[in-house]
mmCIF file of all heavy atoms in Angstrom:
data_model
loop_
_atom_site.group_PDB
_atom_site.id
_atom_site.type_symbol
_atom_site.label_atom_id
_atom_site.label_comp_id
_atom_site.label_asym_id
_atom_site.label_seq_id
_atom_site.Cartn_x
_atom_site.Cartn_y
_atom_site.Cartn_z
ATOM 1 N N LEU A 222 -0.740 26.975 1.208
ATOM 2 C CA LEU A 222 -1.543 27.270 0.045
ATOM 3 C C LEU A 222 -2.298 28.619 0.265
ATOM 4 O O LEU A 222 -2.641 28.917 1.443
ATOM 5 C CB LEU A 222 -2.614 26.167 -0.172
ATOM 6 C CG LEU A 222 -2.172 24.748 -0.417
ATOM 7 C CD1 LEU A 222 -3.408 23.861 -0.394
ATOM 8 C CD2 LEU A 222 -1.463 24.660 -1.745
ATOM 9 N N ALA A 223 -2.479 29.366 -0.784
ATOM 10 C CA ALA A 223 -3.315 30.545 -0.680
ATOM 11 C C ALA A 223 -4.162 30.696 -1.922
ATOM 12 O O ALA A 223 -3.675 30.338 -3.046
ATOM 13 C CB ALA A 223 -2.467 31.791 -0.401
ATOM 14 N N PHE A 224 -5.383 31.200 -1.730
ATOM 15 C CA PHE A 224 -6.325 31.385 -2.864
ATOM 16 C C PHE A 224 -6.875 32.796 -2.729
ATOM 17 O O PHE A 224 -7.056 33.332 -1.657
ATOM 18 C CB PHE A 224 -7.493 30.382 -2.800
ATOM 19 C CG PHE A 224 -7.052 28.915 -2.882
ATOM 20 C CD1 PHE A 224 -6.650 28.237 -1.792
ATOM 21 C CD2 PHE A 224 -7.014 28.303 -4.094
ATOM 22 C CE1 PHE A 224 -6.252 26.913 -1.802
ATOM 23 C CE2 PHE A 224 -6.632 26.990 -4.193
ATOM 24 C CZ PHE A 224 -6.270 26.271 -3.030
ATOM 25 N N HIS A 225 -7.243 33.378 -3.926
ATOM 26 C CA HIS A 225 -7.998 34.644 -3.926
ATOM 27 C C HIS A 225 -9.089 34.513 -4.985
ATOM 28 O O HIS A 225 -8.834 34.144 -6.081
ATOM 29 C CB HIS A 225 -7.051 35.784 -4.244
ATOM 30 C CG HIS A 225 -7.747 37.133 -4.193
ATOM 31 N ND1 HIS A 225 -8.122 37.830 -5.289
ATOM 32 C CD2 HIS A 225 -8.199 37.848 -3.068
ATOM 33 C CE1 HIS A 225 -8.747 38.932 -4.912
ATOM 34 N NE2 HIS A 225 -8.829 39.011 -3.562
ATOM 35 N N GLY A 226 -10.263 34.754 -4.542
ATOM 36 C CA GLY A 226 -11.420 34.674 -5.451
ATOM 37 C C GLY A 226 -12.709 34.457 -4.623
ATOM 38 O O GLY A 226 -12.781 34.878 -3.499
ATOM 39 N N THR A 227 -13.669 33.744 -5.243
ATOM 40 C CA THR A 227 -14.932 33.505 -4.569
ATOM 41 C C THR A 227 -14.910 32.260 -3.725
ATOM 42 O O THR A 227 -14.527 31.183 -4.203
ATOM 43 C CB THR A 227 -16.077 33.443 -5.613
ATOM 44 O OG1 THR A 227 -16.128 34.636 -6.327
ATOM 45 C CG2 THR A 227 -17.468 33.157 -4.983
ATOM 46 N N ILE A 228 -15.334 32.421 -2.503
ATOM 47 C CA ILE A 228 -15.407 31.267 -1.543
ATOM 48 C C ILE A 228 -16.843 31.129 -1.165
ATOM 49 O O ILE A 228 -17.536 32.128 -0.773
ATOM 50 C CB ILE A 228 -14.519 31.580 -0.294
ATOM 51 C CG1 ILE A 228 -13.134 32.018 -0.658
ATOM 52 C CG2 ILE A 228 -14.545 30.412 0.675
ATOM 53 C CD1 ILE A 228 -12.318 30.970 -1.305
ATOM 54 N N ILE A 229 -17.390 29.914 -1.181
ATOM 55 C CA ILE A 229 -18.794 29.608 -0.900
ATOM 56 C C ILE A 229 -18.882 28.588 0.215
ATOM 57 O O ILE A 229 -18.250 27.461 -0.005
ATOM 58 C CB ILE A 229 -19.611 29.218 -2.101
ATOM 59 C CG1 ILE A 229 -19.534 30.282 -3.225
ATOM 60 C CG2 ILE A 229 -21.077 28.928 -1.713
ATOM 61 C CD1 ILE A 229 -20.183 29.916 -4.481
ATOM 62 N N HIS A 230 -19.514 28.808 1.315
ATOM 63 C CA HIS A 230 -19.728 27.831 2.366
ATOM 64 C C HIS A 230 -20.957 28.151 3.182
ATOM 65 O O HIS A 230 -21.521 29.201 3.090
ATOM 66 C CB HIS A 230 -18.445 27.627 3.216
ATOM 67 C CG HIS A 230 -18.124 28.796 4.108
ATOM 68 N ND1 HIS A 230 -17.233 28.784 5.107
ATOM 69 C CD2 HIS A 230 -18.655 30.068 4.138
ATOM 70 C CE1 HIS A 230 -17.154 29.908 5.677
ATOM 71 N NE2 HIS A 230 -18.012 30.717 5.128
ATOM 72 N N SER A 231 -21.309 27.192 4.055
ATOM 73 C CA SER A 231 -22.528 27.321 4.895
ATOM 74 C C SER A 231 -22.087 27.545 6.324
ATOM 75 O O SER A 231 -21.143 26.872 6.871
ATOM 76 C CB SER A 231 -23.433 26.095 4.814
ATOM 77 O OG SER A 231 -23.948 25.963 3.534
ATOM 78 N N LEU A 232 -22.819 28.389 7.035
ATOM 79 C CA LEU A 232 -22.682 28.557 8.510
ATOM 80 C C LEU A 232 -23.841 27.842 9.251
ATOM 81 O O LEU A 232 -23.722 27.532 10.404
ATOM 82 C CB LEU A 232 -22.688 29.980 8.883
ATOM 83 C CG LEU A 232 -21.530 30.835 8.262
ATOM 84 C CD1 LEU A 232 -21.545 32.286 8.766
ATOM 85 C CD2 LEU A 232 -20.157 30.211 8.514
ATOM 86 N N SER A 233 -24.981 27.645 8.501
ATOM 87 C CA SER A 233 -26.113 26.966 9.077
ATOM 88 C C SER A 233 -26.982 26.522 7.884
ATOM 89 O O SER A 233 -26.700 26.859 6.721
ATOM 90 C CB SER A 233 -26.903 27.915 9.996
ATOM 91 O OG SER A 233 -27.615 28.857 9.271
#
Side-chain angles (χ1 to χ4, degrees):
L222 300 171
F224 300 86
H225 184 255
T227 299
I228 310 294
I229 302 176
H230 68 167
S231 295
L232 300 183
S233 74

